[in-house]
């Protein structure tokens, strides 16, 4: 700052030196001008400080607005519509250039859930498309609506309306983060109602087999916090059984019923314990194809473990599940879906799968699915089967890999004449080579894939005698032969 001049001392000094009044007046003018300049400088500095303060405040406000906008975008990023899907489509041909039967359930054991490897063994076009609408309310509550459509055909034609199985597969609403539920076990819970496939179903992809499948019309709640490491899901699902006969003299269908599945699905750490109670009023009046009494209730349980490594041996992951059911619960995969099961029916199934890298360029995904069951549809019937499967891939470039799949199934089936089926014992084997293109290699879950394939399939001749209406034993499909094809598979 410019220092202020004092006029009186200056005038006395000038008088002593004999300076003229004119000079004194000039100096006084200079002092006035300097004072005015000082005032302008001070004012300018104050204006500069005020401007700087305003700029800092504006910058702070802009930063705040930017952060607020980012948070709002983040909070609403899931709002609106989204689309997801799974699809596969391809051509499966025999060595004579004609289409072949196929699919993961092509063997006699497939009638009771015995799946085999799917790579190079699928003749169908299947699509499951999901449309979601999500919204976050001012209170923070969220809703999600989903409708999904699925279709499956095996014809190679482009127009398939006459053969289509187009179906509305899911229609449900979810509500979550409800403020009125804050502070308790339901604070992070999700409520739902409608028609759906349960959120926590899981499968062995290489076999195209659910390990457990809970589905139908109903309502429930996910993620109830019952303890520090204990969450649980609770639901009630309803399913409709096929119409059935009450009187052996009546050739028509005279009654129907529903099954109700009450579920408690518990998660503690890596463990899962699922318990199901099943009821179907009046189903015990069903006239079955066997000689027993159809069940009108059942129990089902599953103990599963999800590992964070490849069985503790390497990086990767694995999942294992042991399932058991009695009565209507003896259909252990698709819970509450089979009304033909007898009171004494029981079944036990083991499912194990894993994935890991053997080297930086080679990966493997082995799987085991096995089941023993008895008194399912006829007293004294007995079904035993086991499927071993391994899919292996060699990543050759960032967009190309060679995939291989080996499958083996052993079966010993005694249906006791159920639906005219005969007792058989034998083995099935399949080996597939599939050159595969994809946008990016790196793990078994990267899709889409475009693949060509060649598969060799073989089975024991005895299996051709299981049933007159299944694939085995048909002309041109008796085992010991090659099949070829192309396929697209994607999910997102």
């Amino acid at each position: 700052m410019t220092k202020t001049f004092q006029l009186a001392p200056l005038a006395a000094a000038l008088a002593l030196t004999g300076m003229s009044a004119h000079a004194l007046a000039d100096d006084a003018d200079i002092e006035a001008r300097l004072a005015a300049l000082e005032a302008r400088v001070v004012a300018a500095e104050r204006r500069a400080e005020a401007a700087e303060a305003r700029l800092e405040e504006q910058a702070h406000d802009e930063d705040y607005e930017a952060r607020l906008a980012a948070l709002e975008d983040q909070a609403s990023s899931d709002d609106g519509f989204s689309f997801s899907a799974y699809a596969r489509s391809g051509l499966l041909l025999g060595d004579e250039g004609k289409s072949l039967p196929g699919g993961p359930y092509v063997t006699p054991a497939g009638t009771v859930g015995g799946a085999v490897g799917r790579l190079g063994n699928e003749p169908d076009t299947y699509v499951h498309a999901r449309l979601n609408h999500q919204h976050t309310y001012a209170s923070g509550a969220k809703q999600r609506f989903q409708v999904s459509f699925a279709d499956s055909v095996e014809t190679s034609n482009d127009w398939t309306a006459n053969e289509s199985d187009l179906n509305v597969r899911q229609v449900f609403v979810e509500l979550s983060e409800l403020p009125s539920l804050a502070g308790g076990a339901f604070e992070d819970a999700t409520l739902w109602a409608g028609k759906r496939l349960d959120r926590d179903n899981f499968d062995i992809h290489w076999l195209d087999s659910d390990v457990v499948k809970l589905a139908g019309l109903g309502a429930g709640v996910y993620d109830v916090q019952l303890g520090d490491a204990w969450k649980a899901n609770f639901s009630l699902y309803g399913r409709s059984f096929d119409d059935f006969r009450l009187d052996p003299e009546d050739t028509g269908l005279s009654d129907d019923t529903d099954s109700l599945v009450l579920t408690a699905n518990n998660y503690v750490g890596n463990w899962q314990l699922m318990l199901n109670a099943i009821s179907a009023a009046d189903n015990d009046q069903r006239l079955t194809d066997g000689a027993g009494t159809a069940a009108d209730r059942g129990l089902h349980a599953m103990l599963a473990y999800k590992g964070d490594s490849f069985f503790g041996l390497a990086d990767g992951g694995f999942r294992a599940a042991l399932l058991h059911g009695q009565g209507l619960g003896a259909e252990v995969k698709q819970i509450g879906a089979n009304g033909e099961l007898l009171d004494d029916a029981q079944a036990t199934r083991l499912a194990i799968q894993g994935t890991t890298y053997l080297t930086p360029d080679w990966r493997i995904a082995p799987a085991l699915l096995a089941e023993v069951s008895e008194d399912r549809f006829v007293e004294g019937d007995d079904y035993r089967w086991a499927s071993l499967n391994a899919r292996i891939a060699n990543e050759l470039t960032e967009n190309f890999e060679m995939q291989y799949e080996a499958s083996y199934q052993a079966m010993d089936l005694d249906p006791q004449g159920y639906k005219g089926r005969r007792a058989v014992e034998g083995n099935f084997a399949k080996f597939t080579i599939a050159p595969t293109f994809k946008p990016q290699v790196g793990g078994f879950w990267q899709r889409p894939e475009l693949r060509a394939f060649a598969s060799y399939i073989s089975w024991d001749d005895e299996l051709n005698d299981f049933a007159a209406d299944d694939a085995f034993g048909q002309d041109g499909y008796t085992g010991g032969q090659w099949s070829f094809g192309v396929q697209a598979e994607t999910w997102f």
Side-chain angles (χ1 to χ4, degrees):
M1 287 291 223
T2 303
K3 292 184 178 180
T4 304
F5 287 91
Q6 299 299 321
L7 181 58
L10 180 59
L14 289 175
L16 291 174
T17 59
M19 293 185 70
S20 65
H22 179 71
L24 182 60
D26 288 342
D27 287 341
D29 181 63
I30 291 173
E31 181 187 21
R33 290 165 58 192
L34 288 173
L37 178 60
E38 178 187 21
R40 289 197 300 270
V41 170
V42 171
E45 286 181 340
R46 289 175 177 171
R47 288 196 302 271
E49 289 173 355
E52 183 178 1
R54 286 195 302 272
L55 288 173
E56 290 178 352
E57 183 179 358
Q58 182 179 358
H60 174 75
D61 289 344
E62 289 174 350
D63 178 63
Y64 174 78
E65 290 296 333
R67 286 183 291 140
L68 180 60
L71 290 173
E72 288 174 342
D73 288 343
Q74 181 179 356
S76 62
S77 60
D78 292 333
D79 282 11
F81 287 95
S82 62
F83 175 69
S84 61
Y86 168 81
R88 63 175 179 267
S89 183
L91 191 63
L92 180 65
L93 300 173
D95 51 16
E96 297 180 354
K98 296 175 61 178
S99 60
L100 284 179
Y105 298 90
V106 69
T107 71
T111 60
V112 285
V116 295
R118 66 190 297 181
L119 186 66
N121 192 32
E122 292 177 317
D124 63 335
T125 292
Y126 174 79
V127 59
H128 183 188
R130 296 172 289 272
L131 291 169
N132 290 278
H133 178 263
Q134 301 180 93
H135 181 68
T136 302
Y137 294 85
S139 65
K142 295 183 177 182
Q143 72 88 23
R144 179 168 75 104
F145 167 72
Q146 182 180 118
V147 57
S148 71
F149 305 88
D151 189 22
S152 177
V153 294
E154 292 193 9
T155 178
S156 299
N157 296 329
D158 62 327
W159 190 262
T160 60
N162 292 333
E163 303 171 62
S164 172
D165 290 324
L166 182 63
N167 175 54
V168 177
R169 197 165 192 190
Q170 301 190 87
V171 182
F172 66 85
V173 173
E174 289 183 344
L175 300 179
S176 61
E177 300 189 27
L178 300 177
S180 58
L181 299 181
F186 291 87
E187 180 173 4
D188 297 321
T190 297
L191 310 178
W192 69 269
K195 175 183 180 181
R196 74 176 303 166
L197 303 171
D198 193 76
R199 184 195 69 181
D200 292 346
N201 292 340
F202 64 98
D203 66 354
I204 299 179
H205 177 72
W206 334 118
L207 299 178
D208 192 20
S209 174
D210 290 288
V211 174
V212 63
K213 179 181 177 182
L214 185 61
L217 287 169
V221 54
Y222 292 121
D223 303 325
V224 180
Q225 193 75 50
L226 299 178
D228 290 342
W230 179 15
K231 285 189 176 183
N233 308 334
F234 301 97
S235 63
L236 177 65
Y237 280 94
R239 298 185 61 89
S240 296
F241 284 161
D242 293 337
D243 293 343
F244 55 86
R245 288 183 295 145
L246 295 172
D247 187 341
E249 303 299 326
D250 183 2
T251 59
L253 301 174
S254 55
D255 207 353
D256 58 17
T257 189
D258 298 303
S259 71
L260 299 175
V261 182
L262 183 63
T263 299
N265 207 349
N266 302 274
Y267 296 85
V268 179
N270 291 7
W271 290 94
Q272 176 184 358
L273 176 62
M274 183 183 195
L275 302 172
N276 298 281
I278 309 164
S279 174
D282 298 331
N283 195 58
D284 55 347
Q285 299 179 33
R286 175 191 295 267
L287 183 66
T288 68
D289 288 341
T293 300
D296 61 356
R297 61 179 59 88
L299 296 173
H300 177 283
M302 178 184 71
L303 180 65
Y305 184 86
K306 186 175 183 180
D308 300 325
S309 66
F310 184 71
F311 304 101
L313 302 174
D315 292 337
F318 81 94
R319 200 160 190 169
L322 181 65
L323 305 96
H324 179 78
Q326 296 182 325
L328 292 177
E331 170 48 65
V332 293
K333 180 179 77 171
Q334 193 164 350
I335 302 171
N338 194 330
E340 291 281 334
L341 293 162
L342 304 183
D343 264 332
D344 295 330
Q346 56 181 318
T348 302
R349 179 177 292 191
L350 177 65
I352 304 174
Q353 64 171 323
T355 61
T356 191
Y357 271 84
L358 301 173
T359 72
D361 299 323
W362 285 86
R363 63 183 193 268
I364 186 171
L368 166 67
L369 192 64
E371 183 177 284
V372 294
S373 61
E374 59 186 11
D375 298 324
R376 293 179 69 102
F377 310 114
V378 179
E379 291 183 9
D381 66 13
D382 188 86
Y383 299 86
R384 302 170 184 268
W385 56 266
S387 297
L388 288 169
N389 174 264
R391 188 174 293 192
I392 302 170
N394 179 20
E395 301 170 4
L396 298 176
T397 75
E398 64 179 339
N399 305 117
F400 179 78
E401 61 189 25
M402 290 294 297
Q403 293 192 12
Y404 309 90
E405 186 172 89
S407 298
Y408 176 80
Q409 185 182 79
M411 65 200 88
D412 184 359
L413 313 175
D414 183 5
Q416 291 287 306
Y418 177 68
K419 292 188 175 180
R421 296 166 182 168
R422 293 177 286 275
V424 295
E425 181 178 359
N427 305 316
F428 169 91
K430 179 185 74 70
F431 179 72
T432 299
I433 303 173
T436 302
F437 289 92
K438 56 203 310 182
Q440 181 67 53
V441 301
F444 279 110
W445 311 112
Q446 294 279 4
R447 294 295 186 277
E449 291 185 349
L450 302 180
R451 55 177 80 108
F453 58 80
S455 297
Y456 184 77
I457 49 178
S458 179
W459 61 82
D460 293 334
D461 291 343
E462 182 182 346
L463 301 181
N464 295 333
D465 299 327
F466 177 71
D469 58 353
D470 70 352
F472 280 19
Q474 292 184 12
D475 291 342
Y477 198 65
T478 56
Q481 64 197 86
W482 285 92
S483 60
F484 307 90
V486 293
Q487 187 184 47
E489 185 182 38
T490 189
W491 58 61
F492 55 90

